[in-house]
Amino acid sequence: MLLVSMLKQGLHKQDLQKQGLQYLGFDIYENSINHIGIDGTVFMARENEKTIIIATNKSFGFHGYDKKDGVIRADLNHENACILRKLFPWTAPVRGLKNKKSFGLGDRLGFATPGHIDLFKKNDVFPFFAQQSMRELNLTKRTYEDVLDAVSFAVFREGYKIGFGADGDHLKTAEDIEYVLKLGFTMITLDCSDHIKNNKKDILLSQNYKDKYINQIFKIEDYTLTFSEEEIKECISIYDDALIFINDIYKRFFINDLYNADLELSIDETVSVTTPLHHFFVAKELSDLKISFATIAPRFCGEFQKGIDYIGDIEQFKKEIKIHAAIARFFGYKLSVHSGSDKFSIFPFIGNETKGNFHIKTAGTNWLEAVKIAAEEAPSLYREIHLFALKVFDEAKKYYHVTADLSKIPNISDMNDNELPLLFNNNDVRQLIHITYGKILCNINADGSFVFKDKLFKILAKNEEKYRNALVKHIGKHLELLEVYQ
Ligand code: ZN
């Protein structure tokens, strides 16, 4: 009972260890020590290489076991994550898109949040530590529960209490949206791509549309927008179905803040570039339908390929982001930039033209930083992953649009171990490793064990500090270029 009485006094790690807690086999995460009432303590610790929750009081409800020393040891599973979120509301996500600056951080491994915390606790950008699309979950065989729980445990362990969001990214069906909202996600990214038509058909323009758009001049800040009959027909034929879909989803889940979550509209994953006129049309129609939403993700001009810088005409992008940003301000929402990993050449324009009002999403770059740690710390493991990725690349390309040219990737058998990390400066390698993540993580041996996943996790656990620092530096570069430190 010695341990319980010490904990009940609210002592800190050093005192606890001095007084023999080490003897009980715990290595405590000091920032996780939290007290409930006058005699309850909950914290995280490592015991025999395993991270667990320790609670001094059975009545907190954690599912675990008691080694007859008066404390409950609870595994990091979904049941316990739910209890943690109830006991400590700051481990549950909150809404965040109303903040001027927000940033999404997809973490496909459930390992990156501590590094993200190190960075985001020091700035005024609201982070979405949980952000995952159905596609990513299918490819990694994870669930939305896994994604959210990993973040809740990480913020508890680190004592990060200032709020984070959770984004059910690129959802296409009411069923998925309902599921994710009931789990407590605070943002839904509605993927409208299945309802956006790319082949223009000749339609009859209704009187309503004629009156609304033809011979009208729309003043948006310094811009005047006008529609020809051809242009308005094009807008209607591309977006008409999507507007009906958005209206339906809005009424079911978002009207009157039914689920206390924000709505983002994604019209980006389609071949139709969202021109400023398209954007204005969609925004005006939604505003006339009285649909309110927090962010919109247009398909900007140029290419936003995964894990590499912007490809395209930067001058044109600069011109168009200015108008897109003005339209968003006019209607009262923010622009959202998807596939934002590593788009360094355009971040300054996004930051400036939106006047620091943006949502940016990244995911793959967090994964690339993790594999880079393997290249640095476990070269032979990296070599195996690399050769495997080359083998499965063509299949992985079904899910992602990339232009990587495998013939430009150096033969790694000619490279020394210390040269391997340099591969991550090569865009073709970045894309190779980026899009094959699902195959790499799910590759199993004949006995059902993972070929790479467990080894990769071990390397990351062993080099946790290094991974954290790499993320702080790399994601930090994104934020700096967005001029958030102005
Ligand atoms: Zn997207």
Side-chain angles (χ1 to χ4, degrees), residues 170 266 268-269 338:
H170 276 284
S266 128
D268 68 312
E269 295 232 338
H338 288 197

Side-chain angles (χ1 to χ4, degrees), residues 279-349:
H279 181 183
F280 177 84
F281 169 79
V282 170
K284 169 136 184 70
E285 289 301 308
L286 293 171
S287 144
D288 291 352
L289 288 164
K290 304 213 166 6
I291 292 172
S292 58
F293 54 95
T295 37
I296 201 165
R299 159 93 156 80
F300 294 104
C301 59
E303 293 216 27
F304 286 68
Q305 291 191 22
K306 304 287 175 180
I308 60 170
D309 206 342
Y310 177 77
I311 301 173
D313 180 343
I314 291 190
E315 284 309 311
Q316 191 196 350
F317 177 82
K318 229 161 117 177
K319 233 167 65 193
E320 292 196 6
I321 184 94
K322 251 184 188 331
I323 315 179
H324 284 303
I327 294 170
R329 271 192 296 275
F330 180 83
F331 287 101
Y333 53 83
K334 297 200 296 185
L335 282 185
S336 175
V337 180
H338 288 197
S339 304
S341 293
D342 306 275
K343 300 298 175 291
F344 300 121
S345 64
I346 54 168
F347 283 148
F349 312 122

Side-chain angles (χ1 to χ4, degrees), residues 386 390 406-415 423 426 429:
H386 183 102
L390 287 172
L406 299 191
S407 70
K408 289 192 193 144
I409 295 179
N411 187 343
I412 56 166
S413 57
D414 300 335
M415 295 174 73
L423 286 168
N426 175 319
V429 174

